[in-house]
Amino acid sequence: MFTRILTSALFAGAAAGLLIALMQYIFVQPVLLHAELYEGGDLVHFGAAPVSASQNLPGFDPVRDLLSVMFTMLVYCGYALGLVALMSIAQERGAVITPTNGMIWGVAGFVAAHLAPGFSLAPEVPGVAAADVAARQMWFFPTVAAAVAAMWLLAFHRNAMGIAAAVVLLAAPHLIGAPEPDTFAGPVPTELGALFAARALGVGLAAWVILGTLCAYFWSSEAEAA
């Protein structure tokens, strides 16, 4: 069982990570590079002459970009290990795992890992004001864990008590509140921050749908080959 989980996760995570790294390179990285110009002082937004929204950004950097691809593949292999392990537990409980419903697993993973924490702790470009990183991590990880539990309850305990518990788990971290900076200030235009958050969440959704589909595909393929 462990070998099957590991094999399925590594194939799915590596393939998904490669596709996701490409999407990030096309859609997310240009926004980050643009924001870094403001963070480093090359561009000034407030109190200066209007700055063009179109800038000449650095092109392909072999070291930076290939390392980004490698780390993205490693991260999504880790996500895939967790997702495939949960699929194996669900299958033992009678669930049928197919590439089609793997997309639903992917959406649930996106909600847990991206949307739930991002609702109060949105993706941030470099240079913006932010709370202490340790405080954000202490809020982020329990929020993700609570969202994972909520998705599981909504999938496999669809009764009044299970739904109520899922709602509480999803809402509680935001009612408590995510850590916030003492003041809001930063050199990066808000338009870039909004674009980055939108693209990060959009690519995150596509990434998890791809990952869920591939995890289910390789998991079911391994079962047929056994």
Side-chain angles (χ1 to χ4, degrees), residues 38-207:
Y38 288 94
E39 182 189 27
D42 298 287
L43 297 177
V44 179
H45 179 51
F46 296 107
V51 178
S52 172
S54 300
Q55 295 291 328
N56 291 323
L57 301 175
F60 178 74
D61 183 331
V63 175
R64 174 174 179 162
D65 295 330
L66 291 177
L67 283 175
S68 178
V69 170
M70 183 180 71
F71 284 117
T72 301
M73 292 174 71
L74 288 173
V75 166
Y76 277 88
C77 282
Y79 286 150
L81 277 171
L83 198 58
V84 173
L86 289 173
M87 285 180 176
S88 70
I89 295 171
Q91 191 172 63
E92 289 178 356
R93 297 167 60 93
V96 178
I97 306 299
T98 67
T100 301
N101 62 34
M103 291 189 290
I104 300 174
W105 280 83
V107 172
F110 164 75
V111 171
H114 289 259
L115 188 60
F119 186 74
S120 291
L121 203 60
E124 300 165 344
V125 290
V128 301
D132 178 70
V133 65
R136 285 183 288 162
Q137 289 174 339
M138 289 178 63
W139 182 88
F140 177 87
F141 290 112
T143 300
V144 172
V148 169
M151 293 298 100
W152 188 267
L153 288 171
L154 290 174
F156 301 108
H157 298 278
R158 286 193 293 265
N159 51 48
M161 184 173 293
I163 293 172
V167 170
V168 170
L169 286 169
L170 287 171
H174 307 286
L175 295 175
I176 294 170
E180 293 186 355
D182 296 328
T183 58
F184 290 107
V188 182
T190 55
E191 293 85 352
L192 275 181
L195 179 61
F196 175 75
R199 289 200 172 179
L201 290 172
V203 169
L205 175 58

